[in-house]
């Protein structure tokens, strides 16, 4: 991924995205071509387990009928994690009013994660993963749903229909493209424009950089 220096995040920002619980695209190169699956993932940081490297691991599951887990990957697997993104109108820039030499762009947060894909066709591993995913997304609700709320035979049948996947991460390329190459006045204008159109996740990320008001 092309990452100019001014769009390069620090490691703490990348780790926060890895642990954000967002769904991601798992991509593998195979003898049958590229295969991809969008799936939710949980994150084990490097401190969580002794068998992972400095970037940790991402864990999830796919349908048993999904051919991706059955098809051997050539080389590393890739996971594309996306944070918030939004269109940026040049009309929001102060420099548009000064000289007009501005064009539209897109602001976004993303990380490309590379590592070894490991398959876990093991009921205990899969159940633990399902429980972690559920707890991660239900935990903030006033009345969180639990796997144990469903009948045990039903849960058992559902678990048989999925297979665990894990990406042992070797390296991560992150890109936080949030108008860092623009003036403070242009950033402030872009934040104002984003908030006027309801794109508050992107404007909040821009404010977190400490510029533009």
């Amino acid at each position: 991924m092309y990452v100019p220096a001014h769009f390069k995040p620090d490691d703490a920002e990348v780790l926060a995205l890895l642990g954000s619980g967002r769904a991601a695209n798992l991509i593998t190169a195979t003898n049958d071509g590229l295969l991809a699956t969008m799936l939710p993932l949980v994150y084990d940081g490097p401190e969580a387990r002794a068998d992972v490297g400095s970037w940790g691991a991402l864990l999830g599951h796919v349908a048993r009928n999904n051919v991706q887990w059955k098809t051997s990957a050539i080389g590393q697997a890739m996971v594309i994690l996306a944070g918030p993104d939004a269109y940026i109108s040049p009309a929001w820039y102060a420099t548009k009013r000064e000289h007009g030499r501005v064009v539209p762009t897109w602001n976004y947060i993303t990380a490309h994660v590379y590592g070894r894909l490991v398959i876990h066709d093991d009921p205990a591993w899969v159940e633990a993963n399902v429980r972690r995913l559920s707890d991660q997304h239900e935990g903030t609700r006033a009345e969180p749903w639990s796997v144990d709320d469903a009948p045990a035979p039903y849960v058992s049948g559902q678990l048989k229909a999925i297979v665990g996947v894990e990406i042992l991460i070797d390296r991560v390329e992150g890109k936080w493209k949030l108008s860092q190459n623009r003036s403070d006045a242009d950033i402030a204008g872009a934040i104002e424009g984003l908030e006027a159109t309801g794109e508050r996740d992107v404007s909040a990320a821009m404010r977190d950089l400490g510029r533009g008001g």
Side-chain angles (χ1 to χ4, degrees), residues 14-129:
V14 175
L15 288 170
L17 181 59
L18 292 176
S20 66
R22 289 176 174 268
N25 283 290
L26 169 65
I27 302 166
T28 50
T30 76
N31 287 328
D32 297 328
L34 292 175
L35 299 176
T37 302
M38 189 171 189
L39 70 166
L41 298 163
V42 293
Y43 178 58
D44 276 350
E47 74 290 341
R49 293 157 39 196
D51 63 335
V52 296
S54 59
W55 282 107
L58 289 166
L59 301 78
H61 59 266
V62 298
R64 183 169 293 279
N65 289 336
N66 186 330
V67 300
Q68 188 170 16
W69 76 270
K70 305 174 187 178
T71 309
S72 297
I74 300 172
Q76 292 182 316
M78 179 182 185
V79 173
I80 299 179
L81 272 162
D85 67 279
Y87 172 76
I88 304 297
S89 171
W92 298 336
Y93 292 152
T95 49
K96 187 264 184 186
R97 296 183 290 277
E98 294 171 9
H99 51 64
R101 295 191 298 273
V102 290
V103 294
T105 191
W106 206 275
N107 277 7
Y108 57 86
I109 289 173
T110 191
H112 291 182
V113 180
Y114 302 86
R116 181 167 63 91
L117 177 63
V118 179
I119 304 302
H120 295 277
D121 193 5
D122 170 66
W125 193 100
V126 173
E127 181 176 353
N129 178 251

Side-chain angles (χ1 to χ4, degrees), residues 115-193:
R116 181 167 63 91
L117 177 63
V118 179
I119 304 302
H120 295 277
D121 193 5
D122 170 66
W125 193 100
V126 173
E127 181 176 353
N129 178 251
V130 168
R131 288 181 178 275
R132 282 187 65 186
L133 279 165
S134 298
D135 292 346
Q136 177 170 274
H137 295 285
E138 291 282 339
T140 58
R141 298 184 63 245
E143 297 182 10
W145 179 88
S146 167
V147 171
D148 294 322
D149 291 342
Y154 174 78
V155 171
S156 178
Q158 293 295 300
L159 291 174
K160 292 175 182 177
I162 56 179
V163 176
V165 294
E166 179 177 20
I167 302 88
L168 299 174
I169 304 171
D170 293 325
R171 63 187 175 96
V172 181
E173 296 176 341
K175 187 172 183 179
W176 268 233
K177 184 180 177 296
L178 297 170
S179 299
Q180 298 97 314
N181 57 331
R182 306 300 309 185
S183 68
D184 285 349
D186 282 355
I187 291 173
I191 288 173
E192 183 179 350

